[in-house]
């Protein structure tokens, strides 16, 4: 059975349609990479899946573990096991990273009918996951992303992902703005979380990240839908030929 | 016989009526003189008119529409220690002072003072050696001509709570004043406090405004004068919680002498209609002043914070930090005045007022007013009024927080700018708890 099944998804912002019949199926344990040039709709896809209300869905369906994802509030999507690592993580002064994660975890557990986590177990979990992404204790205790460098923000996203242990993680250009060390740390964090029950959708502009997070499938997105799918070799081909190759191919298709 | 309240309403001369009411003129000859001046001044000014610049956004006419009695029963027989215990702050060891309708109530206070500690008295029990000190300062700072409510309080106050902290006394624990209003019918209550902080002394005072009555037509017109002598340090926290349905005018007049430090917080969480006048005069060099305020309003609540820092001498610093969260149809006002007089060179004066509106019907009026007559100063102000940050809200929800907890967390973070500056741990914890309770419906 598919964990995520997106069929003919059409969505946009205001009057502008950005996703134009998007299809994708993800099985448990799979890692899918979605690549594509700027403006192809990659981030829109991530935001629509996470439930940002700025976007409106006009057609299609999204099933997540058999449930109609589009019917759920953003918090219920998270509680069902969906996680979005933001391309631009928000700075929230005055809200402590740890405290908000504690509340998030408590509400997720309550939704799933699990008993609240003991304080000492929570602290243990935090310590363990901090080590995973090599996030300093001081950063974890600070206000959410406030004054963090670009790399620290991205590492904080992966740290939160590690704590919340989602079944489906969508990484929206998590590699953008990362130096090679940060990239390695982030990828390492993701790899350690890979398992037969957990899936990832890795949205990226560059092939570089995929050297570290090796995908099972690579999809190329163009003008709001997937135009080419393959295995990790497709990413290398893209790296070599550039997106113009896809553009040309698509252009020819349209002309023909 | 027409009541004095009617005369207040109609602006008739008060004095003849007051003279008939002997108890209203109680006190020494000196007090009578002061009171008489208050009566005269109020008679001349009357209540602030609709056009009044100072009360433009906080019209008072509705407050004085009902016929207000000028006194509530001297002390309410129904209040027992256990009734007021719930207003104490958990984990706070403090000297407890209780005022009921403006009268100092030794029975409901817990002081256990040793010799050489502070002195706490009412108008009739001021220790003889302290009478000159009281006479020197009482009624000397809050100008009856500057505000009709100062004049009105001076005209009709019932009692005075006088707290004196001796020179060089570093008080070991805070003083908590429960300023309780207990009345079930329309009445004007006029609590009055004088606090004298001797040279080189240090004190922390928490004043809680509490209303236990049933009428929504009670007006408390409270006036507190604080003298912070040379080199002394005073922290003064005003907590306005437990006062749903109360109409409150609360004026605090502070005089700071050379090298003194005054740090104050005004936290408003309940109250029907509240006007806080906070006037501070750093009248000596090297004074430091902090004014912090936080108000969280809903329903039809109205809160108006008027601050005035009057820099008269060089080398002083003042800092104002106000935060407001307004929901439903509530209305808020912040008017922050800073005067820097010609002599006050090297003044550093800052002001920040930020507000968050949670509904389309809530409104906030903010007015920074800087009047600077010296040329070598650093003054700045900033104010903003906006909505909750939608991006931050979505971010938190995407992590599994319900919309209510996410909103509460963001509002709490906004309020924390002010809460974090509270220096008494038990009070900070309590305020945080109250805010959390208030913000999570």
């Amino acid at each position: 059975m598919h964990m995520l099944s997106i069929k003919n998804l059409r969505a946009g912002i205001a009057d502008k349609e950005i996703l134009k019949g998007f299809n994708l199926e993800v099985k448990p344990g799979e890692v899918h990479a979605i690549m594509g040039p700027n403006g192809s709709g990659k981030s829109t896809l991530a935001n629509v899946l996470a439930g940002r209300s700025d976007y409106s869905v006009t057609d299609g369906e999204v099933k997540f573990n058999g449930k109609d994802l589009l019917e759920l509030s953003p918090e219920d999507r998270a509680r069902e096991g969906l996680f979005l690592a933001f391309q631009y993580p928000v700075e929230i002064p005055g809200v402590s990273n740890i405290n908000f994660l504690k509340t998030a975890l408590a509400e997720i557990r309550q939704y799933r009918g699990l008993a609240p986590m003991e304080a000492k177990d929570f602290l243990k979990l935090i310590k363990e996951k901090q080590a995973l992404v090599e996030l300093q204790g001081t950063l974890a205790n600070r206000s959410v992303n406030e004054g963090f460098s670009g790399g620290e923000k991205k590492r904080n996203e992966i740290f939160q992902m590690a704590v919340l242990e989602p079944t489906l993680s969508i990484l929206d250009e998590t590699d953008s703005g990362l130096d090679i060390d940060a990239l390695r740390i982030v990828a390492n964090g993701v790899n350690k979380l890979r398992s037969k029950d957990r899936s990832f959708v890795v949205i990226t502009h560059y092939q570089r990240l995929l050297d570290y997070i090796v995908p099972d499938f690579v999809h190329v997105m163009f003008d709001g839908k997937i135009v080419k799918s393959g295995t990790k070799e497709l990413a290398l081909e893209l790296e070599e030929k550039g997106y113009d190759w896809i553009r040309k191919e698509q252009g020819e298709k349209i002309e023909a | 016989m027409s009541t004095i309240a009617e005369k207040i309403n109609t602006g008739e001369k008060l004095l003849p009526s007051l003279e008939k009411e002997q108890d209203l003129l109680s006190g020494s000859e000196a007090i009578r003189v002061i009171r008489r001046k208050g009566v005269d001044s109020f008679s001349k000014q009357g209540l602030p008119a609709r056009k009044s610049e100072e009360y433009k956004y906080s019209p008072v006419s509705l407050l004085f529409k009902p016929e207000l009695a000028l006194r509530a029963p001297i002390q309410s027989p129904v209040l027992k220690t256990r009734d007021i215990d719930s207003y104490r702050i958990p984990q706070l060891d403090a000297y407890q002072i209780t005022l009921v309708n403006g009268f100092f109530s030794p029975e409901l206070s817990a002081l256990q003072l040793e010799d050489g500690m502070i002195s706490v008295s009412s108008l009739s029990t001021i220790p003889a050696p302290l009478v000159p000190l009281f006479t020197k300062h009482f009624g000397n700072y809050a100008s009856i001509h500057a505000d009709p409510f100062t004049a009105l309080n001076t005209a009709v106050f019932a009692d005075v709570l006088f707290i004196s902290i001796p020179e060089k006394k570093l008080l070991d624990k805070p003083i908590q004043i429960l300023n309780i209003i207990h009345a079930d019918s329309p009445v004007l209550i006029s609590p009055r406090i004088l606090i004298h902080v001797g040279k080189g002394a240090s004190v922390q005072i928490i004043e809680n405004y509490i209303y236990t009555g049933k009428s929504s037509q009670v007006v408390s017109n409270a006036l507190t004068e604080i003298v912070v002598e040379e080199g002394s340090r005073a922290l003064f926290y005003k907590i306005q919680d437990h006062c749903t349905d109360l109409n409150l005018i609360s004026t605090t007049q502070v005089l700071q002498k050379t090298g003194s430090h005054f740090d104050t917080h005004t936290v408003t969480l309940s109250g029907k209609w509240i006007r806080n006048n906070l006037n501070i005069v750093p009248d000596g060099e090297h004074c430091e002043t902090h004014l912090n305020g936080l108000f969280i309003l809903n329903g039809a609540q109205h809160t108006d914070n008027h601050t005035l820092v009057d820099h008269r001498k060089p080398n002083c610093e003042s800092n104002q930090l106000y935060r407001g969260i307004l929901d439903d149809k509530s209305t808020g006002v912040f008017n922050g005045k800073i005067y820097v007089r010609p002599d006050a060179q090297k003044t550093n004066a800052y002001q920040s007022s930020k507000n968050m509106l949670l509904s389309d019907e809530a409104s906030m009026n903010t007015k920074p007013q800087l009047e600077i007559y010296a040329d070598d100063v650093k003054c700045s102000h900033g104010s903003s009024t906006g909505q909750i940050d939608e991006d931050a809200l979505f971010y938190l929800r995407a992590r599994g927080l319900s919309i209510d907890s996410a909103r509460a967390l963001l509002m709490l973070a906004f309020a924390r700018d002010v809460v974090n500056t509270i220096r008494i741990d038990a009070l900070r914890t309590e305020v945080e708890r109250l805010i959390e309770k208030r913000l999570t419906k």
Side-chain angles (χ1 to χ4, degrees), chain A residues 50-52 74-75 78-79 83-84 86 90 92-95 100 104 107-108 144-145 157 160 164, chain B residues 389-406 409-410 412-414 416:
Chain A
R52 196 188 274 273
E75 53 268 40
R79 294 161 181 179
F83 182 92
L84 170 66
F86 284 65
V90 188
I92 315 180
V95 173
F100 119 76
E107 293 195 20
I108 290 171
V144 181
N145 296 323
E157 294 293 289
Q160 291 176 27
L164 301 178
Chain B
D389 180 348
E390 289 295 332
D391 286 338
L393 193 64
F394 177 70
Y395 187 88
L396 296 175
R397 293 177 73 192
R399 296 294 175 255
L401 267 71
S402 70
I403 188 161
D404 286 344
S405 9
L409 212 55
L410 292 174
L412 199 60
F414 182 74
R416 210 168 265 138

Side-chain angles (χ1 to χ4, degrees), chain B residues 95 97 111 113-122 125-127 129-135 137 160-171 175 177 193-199 201-203 205 225-227 229:
Chain B
Y95 297 105
I97 298 173
L111 284 161
L113 297 174
E114 288 157 32
D115 284 350
M117 297 286 281
I118 53 171
S119 161
V120 178
S121 55
S122 63
T125 62
I126 299 171
L130 291 180
V131 169
L133 184 75
F134 177 83
T135 313
H137 296 290
V160 180
L161 171 70
F162 176 42
I163 302 175
S164 162
I165 293 99
E167 265 183 36
K168 292 183 182 156
K169 181 82 219 168
L170 309 177
L171 214 56
I175 297 172
I177 304 170
I193 300 174
L194 172 64
I195 298 167
H196 182 263
V197 186
K199 280 183 192 172
S202 172
V203 65
I205 298 172
E225 287 173 293
I226 304 175
V227 183
E229 294 282 9

Side-chain angles (χ1 to χ4, degrees), chain B residues 27 41 49 52 75 119 157 163 177 188 209 226 228 240 254 275 282 291 296 311 345 367 372 381 387 392 397 422 439:
Chain B
S41 177
S52 155
Q75 41 221 336
S119 161
F157 67 83
I163 302 175
I177 304 170
L188 172 70
Y209 286 78
I226 304 175
V228 189
Q240 294 163 339
V254 182
R275 164 68 173 242
L291 302 82
I296 301 178
H311 284 287
Q345 296 294 359
K367 186 170 145 198
I372 301 166
H381 70 87
Q387 275 91 36
R397 293 177 73 192
I422 295 177
L439 294 177

Side-chain angles (χ1 to χ4, degrees), chain A residues 1 7-8 21 24-27 35 44 54 67 70 88 95 112 124 137 139-140 145 157 167 174 181 198-199 227 230:
Chain A
M1 187 186 135
K7 285 190 180 133
N8 189 35
L24 180 70
E25 308 219 299
V26 178
K27 286 187 192 134
M35 302 182 72
T44 298
D54 306 349
K67 285 192 179 151
L70 301 175
Y88 303 109
V95 173
R112 295 178 187 167
K124 207 179 129 201
L139 288 182
N145 296 323
E157 294 293 289
T167 49
T174 299
D181 286 336
R198 270 190 214 133
S199 311
V227 294

